[in-house]
Amino acid sequence: QVQLVESGGGLVQAGGSLRLSCAASGRTFSSYAMGWFRQAPGKEREFVAAISRFGGNTIYADSVKGRFTISRANAKNTLYLQMNSLKPEDTAVYYCSATSSYDSGTYYYGDNYDYWGQGTQVTVSS
């Protein structure tokens, strides 16, 4: 079992920045690839970014590429999402998630993740 707790969400103006954190506990953090997803009101959950077990491979949704950076600190059991140049359309609840899959092609799909946090709200005002 892995427990995931997100933090760092809030209200920010368009063009601003936020850094989300996800603290993991339970099984060895480096045993899992990690991902960030988001869900806006009335919309389906969508993939944001993912990172391999030791950070050597990162992938991003086209909508956030060049603005968001995913990283992890295995010694601290923590996942991060640095979000810059935020836009109103980035408003959503952001979730971190853990997957035991070794196939990076599966990281885009929420069904392939084993554990989820409770989410943190990000609101970007125009």
Side-chain angles (χ1 to χ4, degrees):
Q1 286 281 350
V2 175
Q3 294 76 43
L4 303 172
V5 179
E6 302 94 337
S7 61
L11 173 64
V12 63
Q13 289 188 332
S17 298
L18 281 175
R19 187 175 82 155
L20 305 184
S21 299
C22 173
S25 61
R27 295 188 64 182
T28 305
F29 182 58
S30 59
S31 296
Y32 297 91
M34 300 294 296
W36 287 100
F37 288 76
R38 66 187 182 186
Q39 187 166 21
K43 295 188 177 181
E44 293 188 353
R45 181 181 62 196
E46 66 172 349
F47 170 78
V48 175
I51 188 167
S52 58
R53 284 161 173 76
F54 295 96
N57 184 26
T58 57
I59 55 176
Y60 296 92
D62 287 344
S63 59
V64 306
K65 203 171 292 183
R67 300 189 298 122
F68 291 12
T69 303
I70 188 171
S71 62
R72 64 191 297 165
N74 286 350
K76 297 182 179 180
N77 292 342
T78 305
L79 175 73
Y80 302 101
L81 185 67
Q82 178 67 45
M83 305 186 295
N84 298 329
S85 302
L86 282 161
K87 304 175 181 180
E89 51 264 43
D90 294 318
T91 295
V93 177
Y94 283 71
Y95 298 91
C96 73
S97 52
T99 177
S100 56
S101 172
Y102 283 87
D103 181 359
S104 61
T106 67
Y107 295 169
Y108 295 94
Y109 308 104
D111 289 349
N112 293 313
Y113 286 77
D114 305 296
Y115 302 101
W116 294 83
Q118 84 291 345
T120 186
Q121 176 71 48
V122 171
T123 303
V124 184
S125 63
S126 57

